[in-house]
Structures are given as structure tokens and as C-alpha cells.
Amino acid sequence: MTQPVFHDLISDSQLRKAIDVLGYEQPTPVQLKAIPAAVAGENLIVSSKTGSGKTAAFLLPAIQAILARPPVNPSSTRILILTPTRELARQIVKNAEQLLKFTSLKVGMVCGGEELKYQKAMLRKNPEIVVGTPGRLGEHISHKSTDFSGLEFLVLDEADRMLDMGLSDDVLKITNTCRPERQTFLFSATMEQKGLRHLIKQVILGAAEEIYIDEKPNAITQQMLLADDYKHKEKLLVALLQKSTFEKVIIFTNTKLKASQLDNLLRYNKFRVGTLHGDITQDQRKITLDHFRQGRTTVLVATDVAARGLDIPGVELVVNMDMAYSGDEYLHRIGRTGRADNEGRAVSLVDAKEWNLTKGIERYLGATFELITMPGLKGKYQGPDKTKSSGKSVGTKKKTTAKDKKDDTKAPKVKVRERDKKNIGNRRVPTALKVVAAVDGFAPPKKKITKQIDDNDE
Ligand code: AMP
């Protein structure tokens, strides 16, 4: 049977062009099921995780529909997307702008942290699509700055998380102002969430098609290696790769420059490498990915942007050369391994400046990364000096030098808000990821890793 291609699902030529530019070749499982049902006019209840391609699954059929018909009410928003966090809203807006590239439709974002008056001015311009967080949108409803009387599509993204965050009253305040004849799509990582059915009954008016995609947790072993500095990280990376036998590994780095430098370093160490970053042309990107898929290269170095949405089977290991800048980005990265019921492994290289960020991500995920070491490469940095922070120091307390202070100010801020923290241990990981304790401190997910690395071997 031939694999379906995107053009089988979407007929609008402007959208097809945008899909081609984005490089989406085949629909993801959620797209394959949700798009035809949405095009047929159904309401949808979809269980699907971040990273599964769900944004395009709801955006594409909704955009295609509004491109094909006149608005019900020209002053009303046509597609409204509610999402729990600003970060997700931003991602959706970005994805929408990419898909709208060859159309004249506009998208607007309404989240907290920005002045209301600017958002009001933006809403007066009537963008066809509005993406927002429930709290701020609720405020706009009170100010009567929104018009959803002619709404054609309502999307609730990550509905489970909105419930976790106590946003259901705001959600209902908004949905009650939406045109009842709309189509409604509700996406949730799990359907087990308490109160979800109640919410569904109130927002989905009429029958709905239920779609379940891969609710089974994937097992990803999450580990970290401490590093003194970037040079140390490079040595750790080379040793990590040399000591493991793998068919496919993806290495994430935060900048294009570092990606290119890593490419050189790994080539020098005789690895078969391909690199993806924002300056790589679409044609080159396709070639690099084909080589990696076919096994002609075994290591893919990538920046976050370049690696978005990669669905490559058989990635055994993801390495974070730089720590991801947020919990969601970390999830996106490690979601490249352990796909389709395979086990996976993620190793993050963490230096002093990334310690707080890493701990924030652990809290966000409700997980603890297993600390491992590389034989002969254990550095000086072993986490924060507890005698400094605990106040329970015994003996001499190290004085804080001017340089320490300067470094402190450089420490990356953890992008985890209080709101998100409320869900700790509650939602994110239990369904999406399972932290697997390694048997010997460095247990390979598969037999393919030949040499064991002894955690305590110095
Ligand atoms: P999402 O689950 O919507 O957050 O999507 C994760 C990433 O996958 C985004 O960067 C999308 O641009 C990308 N993506 C969505 N659909 C596809 C597809 N069919 N092929 C390749 N990438 C995709």
C-alpha cells in the first residue's frame, strides 16, 4: 500500500504550497485521522501529545474551510484557538503564519503580559484567526473587545492542561460567547483527566468523532552528564558516541555556529554526520534527512528550529549539547527518540550555567535525570556548592568573588512559570514519558550499545 501524502488530505493550492515550503511530506498519524474528519464537518475530540503534529491537524482543515467560503459575519473572528500557555500560543501563531504565507488571512495573539490596549487595537483589525490564553481572552470578553458571533471553528488545545491550571471557568466564559453552529475541536494529551468529560459536554455542541493517537507512554531514559565548560562537553560527547553503538543519534545545540563547529569536530573524529540549521536550504535539508533516514549518516546535529517535527524511526539517542531553553522545548527534543513504541535515551550535557535551568525542567516534568559520568572525563563541576546555598556549611565558607557574582547574573532564567509549576508530577510526563531507572547507572536501552560505561569508574 502506498503511503498517503499531504496533498491527498488538503486540496487548497495556497495551503499545499505552504506545506511544501515547510517540508511536510507525509501526514503524521493524528493528521491522517483528524483532517478528513474535520473536512467532513465533524466535531473532534482528539487524544494527541505535543510534537505529534496536532497544530497542523487542526489549523489546516479550519483554514481550508474559511478560504473556501465567505464569513458568516465579517466583523467576527472565524477561528479561535485557546491554549494553556503563552509559549504554546506563540508556537501556534508561528505555525499558522507559516501556513497562511500564500493567503491574505491574518492571525492575532491574545495572551497575558502585553498591554490590553494594543491587543484591542489588533482585534479591531479583525484577524480571521485568534490564538490566546483563556485568562487574557476572558478579560477581553469583559471589555467587549472580541466578537465571536460568527465563529466557524473553536479549538481547545491541550484541554487537560487548561483544566490542571484551573482555567475551565475562563474557557467556559469564552466559549459561551461563541457561535453555537461552529465546529469544535478539542485536543488533549490524555482523556483520563478529571473533569474533562464535563468540559467536553459543555463546549462540544452535538456529536463528535473521537480519535485516539498513541496514548501509550514511551520509555525514555533521561540522563545528564556534568561538564566544566564547552570544551569539556565536546570531549564528553565524543567519548559518549565512541562508547556507544548506535544506528541513529540526534544532537541538539542552541546556535547555528555551534552546530557547524560540532559537525567539524565529529567529522574529525570519523563519525558520519549530517547537520541541519536555519541557514540550510530546503534542498540540502532534504538530502541530509534522506541520508540520515537511510543510515548513510548516523549522527544528525541540529538546532531546535531545524529539527521541528522530524519523525525519523529508530533514533536511539538524543544528546542535548546545550540544555533546551524550556521544558516544552526539552520535550520536543527528546520526543525524537523512543518513538513508535521503541525505547529511547536522552543525555543532557549540563554545565554550571545550565544547572538552574535543568532543575527547572526536571520540576516541570516531574522527573529526575539520572546523573552519569564518563570514565576518565569526570570534571570539577559537580553541581552547585551546597555549602554556599544551604547555610549549613561546616568549616570555611567560600567567599563569593566578583566573578562568581558576574556568572550568577549570566545564569539562564528558567522559563517555567508559577502556573505551570502547579502541575508538577501531575500531568506532563506520566502520560508522555516514563523515566526509566538504568540498571547499572548507564544502562543502554538496547543491546546494540556494546561497551558498558561504568558510572563510578574514574
Ligand atoms: P505540533 O505537535 O503541532 O507541536 O508539531 C510539532 C512539529 O512538527 C512542528 O514543528 C510542525 O511544524 C511539525 N510538523 C507537523 N506536521 C508535520 C508533518 N506532517 N511532517 C513534518 N513535520 C510536521
Side-chain angles (χ1 to χ4, degrees), residues 6 24-28 31 49-56 91 95 308-309 332:
F6 237 113
Y24 300 175
E25 287 153 25
Q26 279 154 5
T28 64
Q31 292 163 350
K49 305 182 285 212
T50 297
S52 58
K54 66 184 164 67
T55 316
Q91 279 177 29
N95 208 181
R308 270 301 159 85
H332 272 297

Side-chain angles (χ1 to χ4, degrees), residues 141-274:
I141 304 267
S142 306
H143 286 245
K144 300 201 178 358
S145 36
T146 56
D147 180 353
F148 302 139
S149 62
L151 196 79
E152 292 159 69
F153 291 92
L154 169 67
V155 182
L156 269 63
D157 189 29
E158 304 222 348
D160 51 337
R161 212 164 152 197
M162 292 204 263
L163 283 177
D164 269 345
M165 292 167 71
L167 296 172
S168 60
D169 287 348
D170 287 323
V171 170
L172 292 176
K173 176 174 171 182
I174 298 158
T175 54
N176 287 339
T177 70
C178 295
R179 177 172 163 258
E181 297 80 14
R182 65 182 183 255
Q183 246 177 287
T184 305
F185 305 152
L186 182 142
F187 285 73
S188 177
T190 171
M191 286 295 153
E192 303 306 313
Q193 177 71 6
K194 203 163 157 261
L196 193 64
R197 288 285 153 192
H198 182 68
L199 182 74
I200 287 173
K201 265 200 210 127
Q202 297 189 69
V203 296
I204 299 209
L205 312 173
E209 173 136 346
E210 296 205 21
I211 297 171
Y212 290 85
I213 308 287
D214 188 24
E215 277 224 85
K216 253 173 65 192
N218 291 338
I220 300 178
T221 305
Q222 300 181 80
Q223 301 172 321
M224 68 172 167
L225 274 166
L226 294 178
D228 294 340
D229 51 31
Y230 199 73
K231 273 274 156 252
H232 188 201
K233 282 190 177 189
E234 289 182 344
K235 287 186 194 146
L236 287 167
L237 174 71
V238 171
L240 175 70
L241 298 184
Q242 279 169 345
K243 289 187 190 289
S244 315
T245 307
F246 52 81
E247 284 173 9
K248 285 184 175 55
V249 52
I250 301 184
I251 302 169
F252 282 96
T253 162
N254 286 349
T255 68
K256 293 175 210 166
L257 181 66
K258 281 189 191 161
S260 304
Q261 286 168 345
L262 270 185
D263 185 290
N264 287 335
L265 175 81
L266 295 173
R267 264 170 220 279
Y268 177 79
N269 283 280
K270 309 266 180 299
F271 290 102
R272 286 179 286 135
V273 193

Side-chain angles (χ1 to χ4, degrees), residues 352 355-356 381 383-409:
W355 178 267
N356 287 346
Y381 181 64
D385 181 354
K386 293 206 177 70
T387 56
K388 259 195 277 177
S389 53
S390 67
K392 289 181 195 157
S393 64
V394 186
T396 49
K397 189 174 171 190
K398 187 177 164 239
K399 272 192 195 153
T400 310
T401 62
K403 184 177 176 297
D404 289 338
K405 277 188 188 153
K406 197 169 148 234
D407 283 345
D408 278 347
T409 58

